[in-house]
Amino acid sequence: MLRTHTCGELRINDVNKTVTLTGWVQRLRDKGSLLWIDLRDRYGITQLFLEEGKSDQKLLVAARELGREFVIKVTGTVAERHSKNDKIPTGAIEIKVESIEVLNQSKVPPFTIEDATDGGDDLRMKYRYLDLRRNIVRECLLLRHKMAQQTRLYLDGLNFIEVETPVLIKSTPEGARDFVVPSRIHHGEFYALPQSPQTFKQLLMVSGFDRYYQIVKCFRDEDLRADRQPEFTQIDCEMAFITQEDILSTFEGLVRHLFKNVKGIDMPSVPHMTYADAMRFYGSDKPDTRFEMRFSELTSVAKGKGFQLFEQSELIVAICAKGCAGYTRKQLDELTEFVKRPQIGAKGLIWVRYEEAGTLKSSVDKFYPEEELKKWAAACSAQPGDLMLVLAGESEKTMKALGELRLHVAGQLGLRDKNKFAALWVIDFPLFEWSDDTKRYHAMHHPFTSPKREDIPLLDIDPGKVRANAYDLVINGSEMGGGSIRIHDRATQQLMFSKLGFTEEEAKKQFGFLMEAFEYGAPPHGGIAFGFDRLCSLFGGADSIRDFIAFPKNNAGRDTMIDTPSTISEEQLDELGLTIKSENSNR
Ligand code: ASP
């Protein structure tokens, strides 16, 4: 090793030792007679010290020529500092420098290597290797490492086996769009990158592996959205001979293990809520349960009083914002503007202030005298001092809009504290989801999810009502993981494909291997996958997953550091059989 210690290691009881450190020059402070250098490595910062008259003159000249981010090797003696810095672990000591060797020079970095850097996003991404030198980014990756280690520890302890599944697989139409890879040897044929190892992990259950996991890259060519990565990582798991309850308790165990061992937090056990209740109470299948503010339905109480908007509405529904009766007109107008935004899509907002004095004032006083509003307050369990916010319209849209308003108001009230964690299992998802675009049902989770046995008769009558043995783990209003109990017999799988509009031929071509496997003794099985990047960013208290990925793509799906996607040469295109011969060149 070039060094005897790291830059985070030396303490007061190391005083008088001769040490050698290596690292990057973080900062140089030249006070004329005294010169300090902050030397940084992955482990911390150690202060170096030279003194006019005491240090060797040549050494002082050499030190003054160091630039930021130069890589140096320094030998010296550990000394106690006069003015100590209790903000860093090495703050009680400094090194009296005896020799400096420049291991490599550095150009002036394009942004400062500090927690609060002056570099914008684009610059940071282009020079990601410099960005990764910053403490706060490095800590995100260390957290990720710890999460992965703890995940392996927990799952290994329960006899899960880590198995790698292939990355060059086959394109399938269900789910998101695939990334495809052209085959050179078989022109006109393509591999696809896995959106998840779903079918492989099920096949491993047929093979008898019984408990599988993998921390694995998945690829989805979806439309770009802020904070979405085309490649991302899942903790992918599957178990055989289990019930849904077994899966939920095993993976609740994983999450609690991570909270305990990574964050030192004792998580209470995770409550279960049906999808139907989540929608009814929160207007969302991933409710933020750090706070209550549940929906109260006012349809029957509020209809029939001649207020046009309500008369035409399928649903009238309210939330009660505790202690918000004092909201000003301006604040209420702002909330009205919020719900009217096209993304939210409500026509307007009705509010009722339940004033401290016990009087009720609303934006619909003309139609609703106080004794009517009292009934609303009772339905909402509102108390003096509270504010009721009411939306009306078509059921589903109105619930979604109120769900957004609920989050918005909670945000204003500081109820979405990043240091507080509330987890929830949402269970009994619908099996299908209707798509207005394609005019057919799609699998809400994926086509391998089993319907609830008691709902199978509904498959023919009312597919939209069929519930699945599918579940999501939601933390703080984000979906952290999802999975299901699978179909494990050919007939049901075939039925499922036919309900999804596959011809028998198509189903066989795309998933024949799986259905055939089901004919060779497939055990009952089920599983789950967690979004690992997201889980890390939740643990790290960050809004973005970007800094928990060493080399992420930007919001346009590009890696600006290596500059990709990029063109490939004519020869490569030719070899792959992808050359497009223009009409002109044929003439
Ligand atoms: N493969 C599923 C997904 O990626 C998870 C699962 O069902 O286990 O969402």
Side-chain angles (χ1 to χ4, degrees):
M1 294 268 220
L2 297 187
R3 64 186 175 208
T4 57
H5 296 79
T6 70
C7 294
E9 206 176 334
L10 296 167
R11 300 286 183 274
I12 194 77
N13 48 8
D14 294 307
V15 166
N16 292 331
K17 279 188 191 157
T18 300
V19 297
T20 301
L21 303 183
T22 51
W24 286 262
V25 174
Q26 172 84 18
R27 201 178 296 123
L28 218 104
R29 270 166 299 143
D30 193 349
K31 287 272 157 75
S33 58
L34 298 169
L35 182 71
W36 288 280
I37 300 165
D38 279 349
L39 189 65
R40 183 196 74 241
D41 67 9
R42 186 190 134 179
Y43 306 91
I45 286 187
T46 298
Q47 179 167 295
L48 314 177
F49 170 74
L50 293 98
E51 193 174 358
E52 202 73 57
K54 289 204 179 142
S55 305
D56 177 85
Q57 198 51 38
K58 270 200 204 128
L59 198 59
L60 272 158
V61 172
R64 289 203 161 97
E65 277 169 6
L66 295 174
R68 274 201 286 140
E69 300 307 309
F70 275 41
V71 188
I72 61 173
K73 177 177 150 188
V74 173
T75 300
T77 314
V78 183
E80 183 171 0
R81 275 205 218 181
H82 289 297
S83 53
K84 301 197 171 48
N85 176 356
D86 55 17
K87 292 202 185 73
I88 56 171
T90 60
I93 57 100
E94 59 192 354
I95 311 293
K96 269 200 190 136
V97 178
E98 279 140 32
S99 78
I100 297 178
E101 183 186 341
V102 174
L103 299 176
N104 212 341
Q105 304 198 336
S106 172
K107 294 210 281 189
V108 175
F111 48 86
T112 53
I113 311 295
E114 306 275 354
D115 287 359
T117 180
D118 57 358
D121 257 11
D122 292 347
L123 210 52
R124 287 178 47 206
M125 287 305 135
K126 184 161 159 49
Y127 295 94
R128 181 64 164 172
Y129 50 89
L130 295 180
D131 194 31
L132 289 171
R133 283 186 192 166
R134 299 195 302 130
N135 291 326
I136 51 169
V137 187
R138 185 184 53 246
E139 273 158 21
C140 293
L141 290 189
L142 289 181
L143 175 78
R144 185 186 176 103
H145 165 74
K146 216 166 166 188
M147 301 272 290
Q149 294 301 313
Q150 288 296 333
T151 298
R152 292 198 162 96
L153 191 71
Y154 176 83
L155 292 174
D156 183 62
L158 291 177
N159 275 330
F160 280 80
I161 302 165
E162 189 165 13
V163 183
E164 287 168 276
T165 52
V167 172
L168 294 176
I169 65 166
K170 175 173 160 153
S171 183
T172 54
E174 205 62 17
R177 219 172 277 116
D178 287 318
F179 280 102
V180 295
V181 179
S183 161
R184 178 181 60 81
I185 299 164
H186 307 283
H187 281 187
E189 295 186 315
F190 297 81
Y191 299 100
L193 305 182
Q195 295 184 28
S196 88
Q198 186 60 36
T199 51
F200 291 97
K201 66 174 173 176
Q202 291 191 240
L203 292 172
L204 287 169
M205 294 305 108
V206 180
S207 307
F209 278 84
D210 190 77
R211 291 178 171 206
Y212 142 94
Y213 83 100
Q214 186 181 189
I215 299 182
V216 62
K217 271 289 170 74
C218 301
F219 307 85
R220 292 181 194 172
D221 190 3
E222 289 175 305
D223 289 337
L224 298 164
R225 233 202 259 153
D227 213 34
R228 187 181 266 176
Q229 291 284 320
E231 53 176 299
F232 59 97
T233 304
Q234 286 191 338
I235 309 171
D236 191 46
C237 310
E238 197 77 4
M239 300 171 87
F241 303 114
I242 39 74
T243 63
Q244 177 165 311
E245 278 309 308
D246 297 322
I247 303 247
L248 300 191
S249 65
T250 304
F251 292 100
E252 175 173 334
L254 170 62
V255 171
R256 294 175 69 188
H257 174 89
L258 291 174
F259 269 107
K260 178 83 197 160
N261 292 283
V262 177
K263 287 197 78 76
I265 292 176
D266 283 305
M267 274 271 277
S269 67
V270 180
H272 298 186
M273 181 180 286
T274 63
Y275 169 88
D277 279 350
M279 296 307 290
R280 190 153 64 99
F281 294 133
Y282 301 106
S284 166
D285 60 0
K286 39 178 189 296
D288 188 338
T289 49
R290 277 174 291 186
F291 57 99
E292 273 287 333
M293 220 191 278
R294 286 189 176 202
F295 292 6
S296 304
E297 204 186 321
L298 300 179
T299 317
S300 58
V301 196
K303 265 200 177 186
K305 309 287 174 207
F307 179 43
Q308 267 303 313
L309 173 69
F310 281 6
E311 294 317 307
Q312 294 160 357
S313 293
E314 196 182 346
L315 178 78
I316 306 166
V317 61
I319 50 173
C320 173
K322 290 266 154 236
C324 293
Y327 262 41
T328 61
R329 229 8 230 265
K330 196 164 156 235
Q331 283 175 298
L332 293 167
D333 288 346
E334 187 271 319
L335 294 182
T336 308
E337 286 314 308
F338 174 82
V339 297
K340 281 168 125 178
R341 295 200 309 202
Q343 311 92 292
I344 312 290
K347 293 201 190 75
L349 174 71
I350 289 109
W351 51 261
V352 185
R353 288 191 186 118
Y354 199 162
E355 293 170 338
E356 290 289 359
T359 43
L360 286 135
K361 295 252 161 57
S362 80
S363 57
V364 285
D365 281 347
K366 256 206 285 184
F367 299 92
Y368 296 93
E370 234 185 301
E371 63 274 18
E372 286 300 321
L373 297 175
K374 279 244 155 77
K375 293 184 198 160
W376 295 19
C380 295
S381 309
Q383 304 292 324
D386 295 348
L387 174 71
M388 287 174 269
L389 299 167
V390 188
L391 292 183
E394 188 265 314
S395 283
E396 206 171 309
K397 282 205 185 103
T398 305
M399 288 201 294
K400 285 214 168 111
L402 191 63
E404 295 293 338
L405 179 64
R406 175 180 175 270
L407 294 178
H408 183 72
V409 172
Q412 289 184 341
L413 296 175
L415 298 174
R416 307 186 71 190
D417 178 357
K418 280 199 179 109
N419 297 311
K420 200 175 151 191
F421 298 95
L424 177 73
W425 284 112
V426 178
I427 59 170
D428 297 356
F429 272 81
L431 186 65
F432 300 112
E433 173 172 54
W434 178 259
S435 158
D436 278 335
D437 289 344
T438 58
K439 299 272 174 283
R440 71 168 178 92
Y441 281 108
H442 290 252
M444 190 144 180
H445 187 49
H446 51 52
F448 316 108
T449 295
S450 73
K452 282 203 173 291
R453 187 173 293 161
E454 61 270 33
D455 288 1
I456 288 179
L458 288 173
L459 273 174
D460 287 322
I461 317 162
D462 194 354
K465 287 243 152 61
V466 178
R467 290 165 308 160
N469 290 313
Y471 33 80
D472 274 359
L473 181 77
V474 177
I475 306 181
N476 292 3
S478 285
E479 181 198 328
M480 288 295 145
S484 60
I485 300 297
R486 326 296 185 187
I487 295 166
H488 66 282
D489 68 284
R490 182 174 190 125
T492 312
Q493 190 63 72
Q494 214 150 334
L495 177 68
M496 184 70 183
F497 283 130
S498 81
K499 294 288 167 210
L500 291 170
F502 284 67
T503 64
E504 207 169 306
E505 200 60 19
E506 285 164 344
K508 203 166 156 196
K509 181 156 182 257
Q510 273 145 25
F511 297 109
F513 64 95
L514 185 70
M515 290 192 286
E516 194 177 6
F518 286 171
E519 294 179 298
Y520 288 97
H525 61 284
I528 191 166
F530 292 91
F532 187 56
D533 313 289
R534 230 189 267 173
L535 203 57
C536 292
S537 79
L538 174 88
F539 272 60
D543 294 320
S544 163
I545 62 171
R546 198 100 66 81
D547 279 340
F548 296 83
I549 299 171
F551 298 104
K553 309 276 185 284
N554 71 10
N555 282 347
R558 294 199 150 271
D559 182 328
T560 54
M561 182 184 67
I562 60 171
D563 190 19
T564 201
S566 56
T567 52
I568 57 174
S569 71
E570 282 293 323
E571 288 93 313
Q572 278 173 300
L573 285 170
D574 248 352
E575 269 187 340
L576 294 167
L578 292 176
T579 319
I580 302 155
K581 298 249 177 340
S582 74
E583 281 180 29
N584 284 344
S585 65
N586 288 340
R587 269 184 214 147

